[in-house]
PDB file of all heavy atoms in Angstrom:
ATOM      1  N   SER R  27      46.428 -30.012   2.813  1.00 78.00           N
ATOM      2  CA  SER R  27      46.505 -29.908   4.226  1.00 78.00           C
ATOM      3  C   SER R  27      47.552 -28.757   4.724  1.00 78.00           C
ATOM      4  O   SER R  27      47.690 -28.593   5.899  1.00 78.00           O
ATOM      5  CB  SER R  27      46.973 -31.179   4.844  1.00 78.00           C
ATOM      6  OG  SER R  27      48.241 -31.549   4.447  1.00 78.00           O
ATOM      7  N   ARG R  28      48.023 -28.049   3.764  1.00 86.00           N
ATOM      8  CA  ARG R  28      48.964 -26.987   4.139  1.00 86.00           C
ATOM      9  C   ARG R  28      48.349 -25.626   3.962  1.00 86.00           C
ATOM     10  O   ARG R  28      47.582 -25.371   2.996  1.00 86.00           O
ATOM     11  CB  ARG R  28      50.272 -27.061   3.381  1.00 86.00           C
ATOM     12  CG  ARG R  28      50.962 -28.393   3.597  1.00 86.00           C
ATOM     13  CD  ARG R  28      52.315 -28.410   3.006  1.00 86.00           C
ATOM     14  NE  ARG R  28      52.301 -28.244   1.584  1.00 86.00           N
ATOM     15  CZ  ARG R  28      53.412 -28.159   0.832  1.00 86.00           C
ATOM     16  NH1 ARG R  28      54.558 -28.271   1.355  1.00 86.00           N
ATOM     17  NH2 ARG R  28      53.321 -28.084  -0.438  1.00 86.00           N
ATOM     18  N   VAL R  29      48.609 -24.695   4.886  1.00 88.00           N
ATOM     19  CA  VAL R  29      48.032 -23.347   4.924  1.00 88.00           C
ATOM     20  C   VAL R  29      49.117 -22.337   5.079  1.00 88.00           C
ATOM     21  O   VAL R  29      50.065 -22.599   5.895  1.00 88.00           O
ATOM     22  CB  VAL R  29      46.981 -23.246   6.081  1.00 88.00           C
ATOM     23  CG1 VAL R  29      46.527 -21.740   6.149  1.00 88.00           C
ATOM     24  CG2 VAL R  29      45.822 -24.169   5.861  1.00 88.00           C
ATOM     25  N   ILE R  30      49.062 -21.257   4.329  1.00 90.00           N
ATOM     26  CA  ILE R  30      50.121 -20.208   4.425  1.00 90.00           C
ATOM     27  C   ILE R  30      49.408 -18.961   5.057  1.00 90.00           C
ATOM     28  O   ILE R  30      48.273 -18.715   4.713  1.00 90.00           O
ATOM     29  CB  ILE R  30      50.751 -19.876   3.136  1.00 90.00           C
ATOM     30  CG1 ILE R  30      51.936 -18.966   3.261  1.00 90.00           C
ATOM     31  CG2 ILE R  30      49.743 -19.265   2.135  1.00 90.00           C
ATOM     32  CD1 ILE R  30      52.839 -18.932   1.944  1.00 90.00           C
ATOM     33  N   ASP R  31      50.164 -18.295   5.987  1.00 89.00           N
ATOM     34  CA  ASP R  31      49.602 -17.119   6.588  1.00 89.00           C
ATOM     35  C   ASP R  31      49.447 -16.015   5.606  1.00 89.00           C
ATOM     36  O   ASP R  31      50.260 -15.868   4.646  1.00 89.00           O
ATOM     37  CB  ASP R  31      50.496 -16.611   7.695  1.00 89.00           C
ATOM     38  CG  ASP R  31      50.548 -17.573   8.905  1.00 89.00           C
ATOM     39  OD1 ASP R  31      49.540 -18.372   9.105  1.00 89.00           O
ATOM     40  OD2 ASP R  31      51.491 -17.566   9.662  1.00 89.00           O
ATOM     41  N   ILE R  84      45.396 -25.329  12.620  1.00 87.00           N
ATOM     42  CA  ILE R  84      46.098 -25.515  11.383  1.00 87.00           C
ATOM     43  C   ILE R  84      45.845 -24.368  10.380  1.00 87.00           C
ATOM     44  O   ILE R  84      46.628 -24.047   9.581  1.00 87.00           O
ATOM     45  CB  ILE R  84      45.824 -26.870  10.717  1.00 87.00           C
ATOM     46  CG1 ILE R  84      46.760 -27.167   9.611  1.00 87.00           C
ATOM     47  CG2 ILE R  84      44.338 -26.936  10.294  1.00 87.00           C
ATOM     48  CD1 ILE R  84      46.708 -28.564   9.079  1.00 87.00           C
ATOM     49  N   ILE R  85      44.706 -23.709  10.494  1.00 89.00           N
ATOM     50  CA  ILE R  85      44.332 -22.640   9.589  1.00 89.00           C
ATOM     51  C   ILE R  85      44.257 -21.246  10.248  1.00 89.00           C
ATOM     52  O   ILE R  85      44.009 -20.257   9.552  1.00 89.00           O
ATOM     53  CB  ILE R  85      43.009 -22.968   8.893  1.00 89.00           C
ATOM     54  CG1 ILE R  85      41.872 -23.085   9.851  1.00 89.00           C
ATOM     55  CG2 ILE R  85      43.122 -24.150   8.004  1.00 89.00           C
ATOM     56  CD1 ILE R  85      40.485 -23.167   9.174  1.00 89.00           C
ATOM     57  N   GLY R 161      44.451 -18.356   7.497  1.00 91.00           N
ATOM     58  CA  GLY R 161      45.387 -18.477   6.405  1.00 91.00           C
ATOM     59  C   GLY R 161      44.753 -18.919   5.150  1.00 91.00           C
ATOM     60  O   GLY R 161      43.517 -19.256   5.187  1.00 91.00           O
ATOM     61  N   GLN R 162      45.486 -19.038   4.100  1.00 87.00           N
ATOM     62  CA  GLN R 162      45.031 -19.419   2.772  1.00 87.00           C
ATOM     63  C   GLN R 162      45.570 -20.810   2.415  1.00 87.00           C
ATOM     64  O   GLN R 162      46.693 -21.113   2.707  1.00 87.00           O
ATOM     65  CB  GLN R 162      45.476 -18.411   1.720  1.00 87.00           C
ATOM     66  CG  GLN R 162      44.992 -17.005   1.995  1.00 87.00           C
ATOM     67  CD  GLN R 162      43.474 -16.895   2.029  1.00 87.00           C
ATOM     68  OE1 GLN R 162      42.826 -17.467   1.154  1.00 87.00           O
ATOM     69  NE2 GLN R 162      43.002 -16.207   3.023  1.00 87.00           N
TER      70      GLN R 162
END
Side-chain angles (χ1 to χ4, degrees):
S27 61
R28 297 190 300 175
V29 174
I30 191 165
D31 291 336
I84 191 170
I85 61 171
Q162 302 299 314

